[in-house]
Amino acid sequence: MSTMPLRERPAWKALAAHHAEIGGRHLREFFADDPGRGERLRAEAAGLYLDYSKNRITDETLRLLIGLARECEVEQRRDLMFSGAPINTSEHRSVLHVALRMPKGTSLVVDGVDVVAQVHEVLDRMAAFADRVRSGDWRGHTGKPIRAIVNVGIGGSDLGPVMAYEALRHYTNRDLTFRFVSNVDSTDFVEATRDLSAEETLFIISSKTFGTLETLTNAHSARDWVVGQLGDEAAVAKHFVAVSTNAERVAEFGIDTANMFGFWDWVGGRYSMDSAIGLSTMLAVGPAGFADLLAGFHEMDEHFRETPLEKNLPALMGLLTVWYVNFFGVQSVGVMPYEQYLKRFPAYLQQLTMESNGKHVTIDGRQVDYDTGPVYWGEPGTNGQHSFYQLLHQGTRLIPVDLIGFGKTLNPLGEHHDILSSNVFAQAQALAFGKTEEEVRAEGTAADVVPHRVMEGNRPSNVLLAERLSPRLLGALIALYEHSVFTQGTIWGIDSFDQWGVELGKVLAVQITPELTGTGDVSADLDSSTAALIRRYRALKG
Ligand code: F6P
C-alpha cells in the first residue's frame, strides 16, 4: 500500500484548498442554490436511510473526499480485511469480525482453515445451549431451572452484550432476568446479584483473554457467591460457563471447557458482540433472533464490500467525519438515538470508535501531523435536548451529530411516537438553518434580547431513518459504524484494531494495589503526588 504522508497527497491538498473556498458557506445558501439537495444527498442500505444533505458539503466536496478515499486505497484495504489478510499489523493479526456473520455454507479460508465453518460450529453449540437454558432443560445444581443470567465482562466483553440486551429488550424472554457486571467496584457485583438466588443463576464469564483483572476479580466473587449459597464446589459446573479464546485459563479458573464457547484472536474485543461474546444476547432473544442480528450485520458488510464509494453508507459517513475533523478542526461527534431502547448505543460506540481510532502514529510508526479519532458521545433524544443541545445550537464549538430515528415504535402509545420523531427533524432543521437576526426581530423581540435568540445554524447533521428497531436492523446499524470507523482509520493510515494505550493503566494499577493494602512506608519510587494520595487513601480507609 502507498505510504505517501497523508498531508502530501494531492487529494488532501485539493480538499484543503476546497475548504478554504466553501468552508465558510452556510447550509442556508446550499439549500437555496440547490432546492433538490435533500432528495439527492441520500443513500440507503440494509434498511437504513441516510440523509446527509445537511452537511457542509457540495458535490465537489464529495468528489474530492471520494478521491481521497481512493488515493488512500480504502477499497483495497477493505478487500484485504475481507480476505483475512493480517491488516492489524501491530498485533500481526487478521481482522475478521465480518466472518462472524457470514452465512452457513459459505466459506472463507485463512491459513488453510475455513473460519466460517469454525464460526458456525460455535454458533450451533451456543444455540443448543441457549435452547436448553430457555426451555428449562438446563438445571442448576439443586435441580431448578435457570431464571437469571449474569454476564461478567468488561470493555468489548460487556458493552456489546449490555447494549444489545437493552436494544432488543422488546424481543427478549421476559421470564429470564439479565444482569451485567463489568466494574471491579464491588457495588456493581453486589447490586447486580442482591435479589438473585444462586440456585437459579447462571454466570457467563466473558473475557477474550481470560486475563483481565476486573473480570477475574468479579468472576472469583461470583464463584464465592454461588459456592457460599449452595455449599458445594461442584455447583460451579452448573452455574458457570465461559466465553473466551483462552481454554487454558478457563480451565485454570475451574470452568469445564465443555462449557466454554470459543472465539479467535482475529476478533477484536470491541468487534466481538456477534461472536460467542453475544451468548447473553442469544439467551435473551433466542437463536433465531441472534441469527437475524447476524443477517443484519452481514447485509451491511455486503453493502460496504460491493457498493461504489459514491453510494456506500459507511464510507460516506466515515469520509464526512474526516472532512469535519481534519478540515474544520472538529473535536467531537454526537450520536443521538431517538429510540429509548438504544440508550446504551452511544456508550457502545465510544469503545468502538475511540479505542479503534484514538491513535497518534501511523501503521508504519510515524507520528501523525493531523488529528485522528474524534470524541464520540451521546444520549437518547429527547432527553439530550433538555440538557446539552443548547451548546450544540449556540455554543462556540462545531459538533456534527448523527440523529437516529424510526418510522414505527415498538410500543405504540397515543401520539408519543410522532412527538418524538418530530424532534428528529426539527433538531436537524434548527441545527442547519438556525434563526437569523431578522427573523428574531420580526417576532417582536426586545432589542437587548435579540443577540441571545439568534441561532447561527450551519451545524451539520446526518439523519438515519429506519422502519423499526429489530435484531436485523441493530446488526446493520452496528456494522455501519464499524465500517465508518474502518474508513476513517484507513484514511488516517492508523491501526484501528490494536489498543496499546489501555495497557499502561493496567500495568500501573497492578503495581499500586500492594501499596494500598500494605502498612509500611509507601514506595520511595513513587512520584510525590501519587505517594501523598496513597497516604491519604490509607488514612481514609482506616
Ligand atoms: O479495555 C481494554 C480491553 O483490552 C478491551 O479492548 C477489551 O474489550 C477489554 O479490555 C476486555 O478484554 P477481555 O475480553 O480480554 O477481558
mmCIF file of all heavy atoms in Angstrom, residues 154-157 206-210 212 215 269-270 351 355 499 502-503 506, ligand 1:
data_model
loop_
_atom_site.group_PDB
_atom_site.id
_atom_site.type_symbol
_atom_site.label_atom_id
_atom_site.label_comp_id
_atom_site.label_asym_id
_atom_site.label_seq_id
_atom_site.Cartn_x
_atom_site.Cartn_y
_atom_site.Cartn_z
ATOM 1 N N ILE A 154 -15.859 -6.995 30.702
ATOM 2 C CA ILE A 154 -15.638 -5.539 30.655
ATOM 3 C C ILE A 154 -15.199 -5.140 29.248
ATOM 4 O O ILE A 154 -14.735 -5.997 28.468
ATOM 5 C CB ILE A 154 -14.615 -5.114 31.746
ATOM 6 C CG1 ILE A 154 -14.664 -3.597 32.016
ATOM 7 C CG2 ILE A 154 -13.194 -5.550 31.392
ATOM 8 C CD1 ILE A 154 -14.002 -3.179 33.321
ATOM 9 N N GLY A 155 -15.345 -3.865 28.919
ATOM 10 C CA GLY A 155 -14.959 -3.382 27.582
ATOM 11 C C GLY A 155 -15.796 -4.097 26.528
ATOM 12 O O GLY A 155 -17.016 -4.213 26.659
ATOM 13 N N GLY A 156 -15.145 -4.639 25.533
ATOM 14 C CA GLY A 156 -15.868 -5.328 24.470
ATOM 15 C C GLY A 156 -16.600 -6.566 24.947
ATOM 16 O O GLY A 156 -17.495 -7.062 24.264
ATOM 17 N N SER A 157 -16.246 -7.068 26.110
ATOM 18 C CA SER A 157 -16.923 -8.251 26.645
ATOM 19 C C SER A 157 -18.123 -7.865 27.515
ATOM 20 O O SER A 157 -18.710 -8.720 28.181
ATOM 21 C CB SER A 157 -15.919 -9.103 27.434
ATOM 22 O OG SER A 157 -14.869 -9.486 26.573
ATOM 23 N N SER A 206 -17.204 -13.677 30.526
ATOM 24 C CA SER A 206 -16.854 -13.304 29.148
ATOM 25 C C SER A 206 -15.540 -12.537 29.149
ATOM 26 O O SER A 206 -15.471 -11.420 29.665
ATOM 27 C CB SER A 206 -17.944 -12.410 28.546
ATOM 28 O OG SER A 206 -19.155 -13.103 28.459
ATOM 29 N N SER A 207 -14.528 -13.134 28.593
ATOM 30 C CA SER A 207 -13.235 -12.440 28.512
ATOM 31 C C SER A 207 -12.421 -13.066 27.397
ATOM 32 O O SER A 207 -12.101 -14.259 27.455
ATOM 33 C CB SER A 207 -12.487 -12.543 29.844
ATOM 34 O OG SER A 207 -11.210 -11.966 29.722
ATOM 35 N N LYS A 208 -12.090 -12.249 26.419
ATOM 36 C CA LYS A 208 -11.303 -12.768 25.291
ATOM 37 C C LYS A 208 -10.011 -13.404 25.808
ATOM 38 O O LYS A 208 -9.669 -14.518 25.454
ATOM 39 C CB LYS A 208 -11.006 -11.629 24.320
ATOM 40 C CG LYS A 208 -10.195 -12.043 23.119
ATOM 41 C CD LYS A 208 -10.022 -10.884 22.161
ATOM 42 C CE LYS A 208 -8.965 -11.237 21.125
ATOM 43 N NZ LYS A 208 -8.741 -10.179 20.152
ATOM 44 N N THR A 209 -9.316 -12.684 26.675
ATOM 45 C CA THR A 209 -8.014 -13.159 27.162
ATOM 46 C C THR A 209 -8.136 -14.029 28.402
ATOM 47 O O THR A 209 -7.227 -14.773 28.740
ATOM 48 C CB THR A 209 -7.154 -11.947 27.552
ATOM 49 O OG1 THR A 209 -7.906 -11.151 28.495
ATOM 50 C CG2 THR A 209 -6.797 -11.105 26.341
ATOM 51 N N PHE A 210 -9.221 -13.914 29.125
ATOM 52 C CA PHE A 210 -9.413 -14.517 30.444
ATOM 53 C C PHE A 210 -8.276 -14.112 31.389
ATOM 54 O O PHE A 210 -7.885 -14.854 32.282
ATOM 55 C CB PHE A 210 -9.541 -16.045 30.370
ATOM 56 C CG PHE A 210 -10.748 -16.525 31.130
ATOM 57 C CD1 PHE A 210 -12.015 -16.399 30.596
ATOM 58 C CD2 PHE A 210 -10.624 -17.086 32.401
ATOM 59 C CE1 PHE A 210 -13.147 -16.804 31.303
ATOM 60 C CE2 PHE A 210 -11.746 -17.496 33.114
ATOM 61 C CZ PHE A 210 -13.022 -17.354 32.560
ATOM 62 N N THR A 212 -8.170 -10.507 32.242
ATOM 63 C CA THR A 212 -8.490 -9.124 32.626
ATOM 64 C C THR A 212 -8.832 -9.080 34.115
ATOM 65 O O THR A 212 -9.750 -9.773 34.574
ATOM 66 C CB THR A 212 -9.659 -8.601 31.759
ATOM 67 O OG1 THR A 212 -9.267 -8.744 30.382
ATOM 68 C CG2 THR A 212 -9.964 -7.154 32.050
ATOM 69 N N THR A 215 -12.459 -8.539 35.395
ATOM 70 C CA THR A 215 -13.360 -9.665 35.137
ATOM 71 C C THR A 215 -13.021 -10.852 36.024
ATOM 72 O O THR A 215 -13.910 -11.503 36.583
ATOM 73 C CB THR A 215 -13.289 -10.044 33.637
ATOM 74 O OG1 THR A 215 -13.713 -8.905 32.893
ATOM 75 C CG2 THR A 215 -14.168 -11.232 33.304
ATOM 76 N N GLY A 269 -11.810 -7.218 20.634
ATOM 77 C CA GLY A 269 -12.783 -7.144 21.730
ATOM 78 C C GLY A 269 -13.976 -6.270 21.382
ATOM 79 O O GLY A 269 -15.135 -6.639 21.597
ATOM 80 N N ARG A 270 -13.706 -5.104 20.808
ATOM 81 C CA ARG A 270 -14.800 -4.166 20.516
ATOM 82 C C ARG A 270 -15.575 -4.542 19.257
ATOM 83 O O ARG A 270 -16.500 -3.837 18.859
ATOM 84 C CB ARG A 270 -14.254 -2.739 20.425
ATOM 85 C CG ARG A 270 -13.107 -2.554 19.448
ATOM 86 C CD ARG A 270 -12.401 -1.226 19.663
ATOM 87 N NE ARG A 270 -11.204 -1.100 18.853
ATOM 88 C CZ ARG A 270 -10.000 -1.546 19.190
ATOM 89 N NH1 ARG A 270 -9.832 -2.183 20.338
ATOM 90 N NH2 ARG A 270 -8.960 -1.356 18.401
ATOM 91 N N GLN A 351 -16.447 2.886 22.751
ATOM 92 C CA GLN A 351 -15.310 1.964 22.663
ATOM 93 C C GLN A 351 -14.988 1.663 21.204
ATOM 94 O O GLN A 351 -13.828 1.692 20.794
ATOM 95 C CB GLN A 351 -15.588 0.651 23.408
ATOM 96 C CG GLN A 351 -14.330 -0.222 23.441
ATOM 97 C CD GLN A 351 -14.560 -1.678 23.798
ATOM 98 O OE1 GLN A 351 -15.682 -2.171 23.736
ATOM 99 N NE2 GLN A 351 -13.500 -2.367 24.170
ATOM 100 N N GLU A 355 -11.510 3.510 20.955
ATOM 101 C CA GLU A 355 -10.427 2.541 21.137
ATOM 102 C C GLU A 355 -9.830 2.205 19.764
ATOM 103 O O GLU A 355 -8.651 1.896 19.644
ATOM 104 C CB GLU A 355 -10.939 1.279 21.843
ATOM 105 C CG GLU A 355 -9.845 0.516 22.574
ATOM 106 C CD GLU A 355 -10.371 -0.566 23.506
ATOM 107 O OE1 GLU A 355 -10.815 -1.622 23.019
ATOM 108 O OE2 GLU A 355 -10.330 -0.359 24.732
ATOM 109 N N GLN A 499 -4.899 -1.661 20.652
ATOM 110 C CA GLN A 499 -5.290 -0.771 21.757
ATOM 111 C C GLN A 499 -4.198 -0.738 22.813
ATOM 112 O O GLN A 499 -4.443 -0.959 23.987
ATOM 113 C CB GLN A 499 -6.650 -1.162 22.380
ATOM 114 C CG GLN A 499 -6.762 -2.565 22.983
ATOM 115 C CD GLN A 499 -6.856 -3.641 21.950
ATOM 116 O OE1 GLN A 499 -7.567 -3.508 20.962
ATOM 117 N NE2 GLN A 499 -6.107 -4.721 22.142
ATOM 118 N N VAL A 502 -4.363 1.292 26.342
ATOM 119 C CA VAL A 502 -5.051 0.929 27.587
ATOM 120 C C VAL A 502 -4.188 0.020 28.459
ATOM 121 O O VAL A 502 -4.528 -0.223 29.615
ATOM 122 C CB VAL A 502 -6.430 0.265 27.324
ATOM 123 C CG1 VAL A 502 -7.405 1.248 26.715
ATOM 124 C CG2 VAL A 502 -6.294 -0.950 26.447
ATOM 125 N N GLU A 503 -3.079 -0.439 27.909
ATOM 126 C CA GLU A 503 -2.264 -1.405 28.661
ATOM 127 C C GLU A 503 -1.511 -0.748 29.825
ATOM 128 O O GLU A 503 -1.392 -1.335 30.892
ATOM 129 C CB GLU A 503 -1.264 -2.115 27.732
ATOM 130 C CG GLU A 503 -1.899 -2.862 26.564
ATOM 131 C CD GLU A 503 -2.951 -3.886 26.985
ATOM 132 O OE1 GLU A 503 -2.821 -4.464 28.088
ATOM 133 O OE2 GLU A 503 -3.916 -4.077 26.235
ATOM 134 N N LYS A 506 -3.328 -0.539 33.080
ATOM 135 C CA LYS A 506 -3.497 -1.867 33.694
ATOM 136 C C LYS A 506 -2.248 -2.241 34.469
ATOM 137 O O LYS A 506 -2.316 -2.714 35.607
ATOM 138 C CB LYS A 506 -3.721 -2.930 32.610
ATOM 139 C CG LYS A 506 -5.049 -2.871 31.908
ATOM 140 C CD LYS A 506 -5.180 -4.095 31.000
ATOM 141 C CE LYS A 506 -6.344 -3.982 30.050
ATOM 142 N NZ LYS A 506 -6.393 -5.070 29.083
HETATM 143 O O1 F6P B 1 -10.020 -2.209 27.893
HETATM 144 C C1 F6P B 1 -9.077 -2.828 27.097
HETATM 145 C C2 F6P B 1 -9.513 -4.130 26.597
HETATM 146 O O2 F6P B 1 -8.373 -4.750 26.139
HETATM 147 C C3 F6P B 1 -10.584 -4.039 25.502
HETATM 148 O O3 F6P B 1 -10.068 -3.898 24.236
HETATM 149 C C4 F6P B 1 -11.322 -5.315 25.690
HETATM 150 O O4 F6P B 1 -12.550 -5.271 25.059
HETATM 151 C C5 F6P B 1 -11.394 -5.371 27.192
HETATM 152 O O5 F6P B 1 -10.124 -4.920 27.619
HETATM 153 C C6 F6P B 1 -11.732 -6.710 27.782
HETATM 154 O O6 F6P B 1 -10.783 -7.683 27.473
HETATM 155 P P1 F6P B 1 -11.080 -9.207 27.695
HETATM 156 O O7 F6P B 1 -12.255 -9.578 26.876
HETATM 157 O O8 F6P B 1 -9.835 -9.925 27.279
HETATM 158 O O9 F6P B 1 -11.378 -9.420 29.166
#
